[in-house]
Amino acid sequence: MTKQILQIENTNNEDFKNEILLGLEHLLSQYEKNTQNSEKLLTREETAKLLSISLVTLWKYTKNDIIPAFRIGTKVRYKQSDVYNALQKMNEFD
């Protein structure tokens, strides 16, 4: 195993620390943006458990377009945000 040496000149400890912190801040903000775009998909079981309903009731909600579902091959998945939005709509008073 070869040992690598990093030599830094013309900077003090505080400036070096601040540069590292700025780099980390940038990486974390990029990570946050990327994870916000990728939304969690829930299984039928996870969705029913989240709503405290049976799989039959979930099927009825899906059939009646109350909660949109996505088919991936033979699997049915629900976007977490769609589930929360449907729940919010169901609880609105006219």
Side-chain angles (χ1 to χ4, degrees):
M1 176 182 240
T2 334
K3 187 173 184 179
Q4 295 182 353
I5 298 173
L6 173 65
Q7 187 173 353
I8 301 172
E9 296 178 6
N10 297 329
T11 190
N12 61 33
N13 292 343
E14 194 63 29
D15 290 342
F16 182 62
K17 180 181 84 171
N18 289 336
E19 284 297 319
I20 291 173
L21 290 174
L22 284 173
L24 283 173
E25 256 181 47
H26 176 71
L27 288 174
L28 287 172
S29 68
Q30 291 298 106
Y31 176 77
E32 187 176 307
K33 286 178 188 176
N34 291 339
T35 55
Q36 286 175 351
N37 293 337
S38 62
E39 185 169 357
K40 183 173 180 179
L41 295 177
L42 303 171
T43 64
R44 292 177 62 242
E45 291 78 11
E46 290 171 331
T47 305
K49 184 177 180 182
L50 179 67
L51 297 174
S52 299
I53 59 175
S54 70
L55 289 173
V56 173
T57 303
L58 179 61
W59 176 80
K60 288 178 184 175
Y61 286 170
T62 304
K63 183 179 175 192
N64 295 328
D65 291 325
I66 295 171
I67 302 176
F70 299 89
R71 188 170 295 281
I72 302 172
T74 60
K75 310 283 186 200
V76 176
R77 296 290 184 260
Y78 298 87
K79 283 186 181 179
Q80 193 170 23
S81 65
D82 288 344
V83 174
Y84 287 127
N85 289 338
L87 184 61
Q88 191 171 19
K89 285 180 185 177
M90 285 188 275
N91 286 315
E92 286 180 357
F93 294 101
D94 293 324

